[in-house]
Amino acid sequence: MDETMRIAVASGKGGTGKTCVTASLLSAWKGATGLDADVEEPNLALILEGTPLESSLVNVDVPGVDPEKCTSCGRCAEECRFGAINVFGDKPAIVTDELCHACGVCAMVCPTGAITEYPRPVGELRRYRIEGGQIVEGRLNTGEMNAVPVIEELLDSTSREGVEIIDSPPGTACSVVAVLSQVDYAVMVTEPTPFGEADLTMALQVAADLGTPAGVVVNRSDMGRADIGALAERFGAPVLGELPFSREVAAAYARGVPPYQVDEGWRKVIDGVIAELKERGGIA
């Protein structure tokens, strides 16, 4: 049997309980590695009381302009899709690092070789030890606009051996696509509300477009009327479990305690989700 599987826990919107489910899966699935790809607000290591081990910087190559070589031709600005480089009059090109996506096009098209690239730190990877496993956390530097380089570095930092459970960013933007395009299965966490239904539709469509199989976990399943089952069926995504609202769970999570550790209902559902994932991944 193949003992490797990379699983993303995702959601079409924030606040559905995505990190609750991720932390609970890691509490139950001993030996699994957690990857915190919610790089703008990583908190898995905090919830699971991780012990820091090591850290490293994440750099991107951004352009620098040699004013002696720049002829102000404007070719670099014309080719930059992100508005990160501009030319005003006969002045040398000006680079806005925060807008740069490190694609390298400006250096490629510069006719005089005035543009060279240099590394600029945009984030950090931190590794933690937790009970029964480890967490690798991506952390985007404050003020940075593009989370994808940190997410990609995070996903490339592991050997992909064993089971990896990823706490994805919320929503359906580029950072989520960066995660869902590199996993074997996606667990979509939602709630049975109009907003939950609408955003789950977008999330399942993204997964379908990427060819990533997905299943659904319905959190606070007794606090809304949306027919999540029918929506999931439309996309061929099974409902893996339903979690009714629990005041005990809410109070525990406010203290940073994963629901799996305090609620028998959560334990039953999460154990069932793990059993389903193991079956799909061919894991004993």
Side-chain angles (χ1 to χ4, degrees), residues 19 30 65 79 129 143 167 179 192 196 206 249 268 279:
T19 302
K30 300 304 180 185
V65 179
E79 296 296 333
R129 182 174 60 249
D167 188 14
V179 173
V206 169
V249 164
K268 183 177 180 180
E279 182 176 348

Side-chain angles (χ1 to χ4, degrees), residues 60-279:
V60 297
D61 291 329
V62 296
V65 179
D66 183 343
E68 299 298 322
K69 294 182 178 180
C70 180
T71 61
S72 309
C73 70
R75 183 74 189 282
C76 55
E78 292 172 2
E79 296 296 333
C80 180
R81 297 176 56 191
F82 307 103
I85 188 165
N86 293 279
V87 177
F88 301 101
D90 59 355
K91 303 295 184 182
I94 298 173
V95 178
T96 304
D97 287 349
E98 292 77 13
L99 296 178
C100 179
H101 281 56
C103 67
V105 166
C106 56
M108 292 171 57
V109 302
C110 179
T112 63
I115 297 177
T116 55
E117 295 175 311
Y118 66 94
R120 183 175 72 86
V122 294
E124 185 180 2
L125 297 187
R126 299 179 182 180
R127 193 176 298 271
Y128 300 84
R129 182 174 60 249
I130 61 172
E131 183 180 354
Q134 64 172 326
I135 289 174
V136 187
E137 169 190 282
R139 184 173 290 267
L140 186 69
N141 286 349
T142 301
E144 293 293 336
M145 301 178 68
N146 183 15
V148 172
V150 178
I151 292 171
E152 292 180 338
E153 186 88 4
L154 171 68
L155 297 178
D156 289 343
S157 70
T158 70
S159 62
R160 292 198 66 162
E161 296 178 355
V163 174
E164 295 180 349
I165 302 173
I166 305 170
D167 188 14
S168 304
T172 53
C174 296
S175 55
V176 177
V177 173
V179 173
L180 294 184
S181 62
Q182 295 197 45
V183 300
D184 303 304
Y185 197 82
V187 176
M188 299 293 185
V189 183
T190 190
E191 55 194 12
T193 63
F195 282 123
E197 183 178 32
D199 292 327
L200 177 63
T201 302
M202 292 190 290
L204 287 173
Q205 186 63 63
V206 169
D209 290 344
L210 293 170
T212 302
V216 177
V217 171
V218 186
N219 192 22
R220 295 184 286 271
S221 58
D222 54 345
M223 298 186 72
R225 298 180 180 179
D227 191 349
I228 299 300
L231 170 60
E233 184 178 1
R234 200 167 83 226
F235 283 91
V239 175
L240 303 173
E242 297 187 2
L243 296 159
F245 175 75
S246 165
R247 187 171 295 276
E248 181 183 12
V249 164
Y253 195 63
R255 300 193 304 270
V257 180
Y260 187 86
Q261 298 179 15
V262 299
D263 187 85
E264 180 61 34
W266 269 73
R267 283 192 287 272
K268 183 177 180 180
V269 171
I270 293 297
D271 287 344
V273 171
I274 290 174
E276 176 71 19
L277 292 172
K278 285 183 175 180
E279 182 176 348

